[in-house]
Amino acid sequence: MTAALPPGYRALVIGAGGAIGSAFMQQLRAEPGCAAVHALGRQTDPPIDYARPQTVAAAAAALRAHAPLQVAIVATGVLHTPRARPEKRLADLDLVAMEDVFRLNTLGPALVLRHFTPLLDPQCGLMALLSAKVGSIGDNRLGGWASYRASKAALNMLVKTASIELHRTHPGAAIVALHPGTVKSALSRPFRGDEIGRDPGQAVAQMWRTLQGLGPEDSGSFVSYDGQRLPW
């Protein structure tokens, strides 16, 4: 178990304009021990836009004055775009659509890892990047959704790799891949998300409880919203 977050801890939410990101903003703002919550997204100042990689470095530079950060939530990701729909079979694979999915699910978060992990508190920093259970290779029994599955599996490897490096410089910090479950959002709506998903506030409350129970020994884990450890 990690030591309790210090009084007056500082938090960051990347992807604050989305359903889960905005719910994390509300959750953290309501926490009595949280002194500040910084929001980053495509519409913030400074912005983070994975289509413009230079914005990630610029946003990290702008946040440096507020470091160290004790909490960082990376709530970005995409399942479908106007050009990309989840594939039902290999014949549906399209390179341009795959590039869109990987940019948003893997390449952009990779740049976040590069530029924002140095801002984490070395003794009690916590970074969680939203992944997905369907990114588990060991749990894949249905096939399909190749681009989404592969992009999240690649993200999981980035998290694991980053955790090993981070341990050398931030021994008290933890970085994890976090499965949010099905949440009512634009991402899940075309796939019955409004019927089977939880409200973003409920989902975030569950995730926050789980995150508060993690410590440095959990760094590099693939964790579900309810605390279960998921197979790679």
Side-chain angles (χ1 to χ4, degrees):
M1 296 286 287
T2 186
L5 289 167
Y9 66 86
R10 293 178 292 277
L12 166 68
V13 178
I14 297 176
I20 294 177
S22 60
F24 260 115
M25 291 293 298
Q26 293 179 21
Q27 178 75 44
L28 289 163
R29 284 171 173 161
E31 294 291 319
C34 185
V37 188
H38 302 280
L40 289 175
R42 284 179 293 181
Q43 305 301 321
T44 58
D45 183 20
I48 276 189
D49 184 346
Y50 294 159
R52 296 182 291 146
Q54 68 276 13
T55 63
V56 181
L63 264 289
R64 197 168 292 131
H66 302 282
L69 300 169
Q70 285 75 41
V71 177
I73 307 294
V74 184
T76 56
V78 67
L79 174 57
H80 55 90
T81 73
R83 295 192 298 188
R85 302 286 294 178
E87 306 92 350
K88 295 182 179 180
R89 53 184 185 160
L90 292 176
D92 296 332
L93 286 171
D94 175 82
L95 180 60
V96 174
M98 288 187 75
E99 288 175 340
D100 286 347
V101 172
F102 269 80
R103 182 179 300 107
L104 294 168
N105 288 346
T106 312
L107 304 180
L111 290 178
V112 168
L113 289 170
R114 173 185 175 183
H115 293 291
F116 281 88
T117 50
L119 305 186
L120 283 179
D121 191 318
Q123 301 307 320
C124 60
L126 172 65
M127 176 179 280
L129 294 87
L130 290 194
S131 184
K133 188 176 180 181
V134 296
S136 166
I137 296 173
D139 189 65
N140 184 359
R141 297 176 179 84
L142 297 176
W145 290 22
S147 296
Y148 186 68
R149 287 183 185 274
S151 67
K152 290 297 189 179
L155 174 65
N156 290 348
M157 178 59 83
L158 286 165
V159 168
K160 179 64 175 181
T161 299
S163 73
I164 295 170
E165 181 174 334
L166 195 70
H167 179 68
R168 303 178 187 130
T169 56
H170 294 61
I175 178 171
V176 298
L178 178 62
H179 168 56
T182 303
V183 181
K184 295 178 182 179
S185 68
L187 182 147
S188 66
R189 189 161 295 122
F191 308 96
R192 299 179 57 235
D194 287 342
E195 300 173 42
I196 64 177
R198 296 114 66 226
D199 288 330
Q202 177 189 0
V204 163
Q206 293 171 316
M207 286 186 275
W208 182 237
R209 281 195 295 270
T210 291
L211 291 175
Q212 288 179 296
L214 301 181
E217 67 278 8
D218 300 299
S219 193
S221 296
F222 186 14
V223 185
S224 181
Y225 64 91
D226 57 3
Q228 293 184 63
R229 296 304 192 267
L230 299 175
W232 296 115

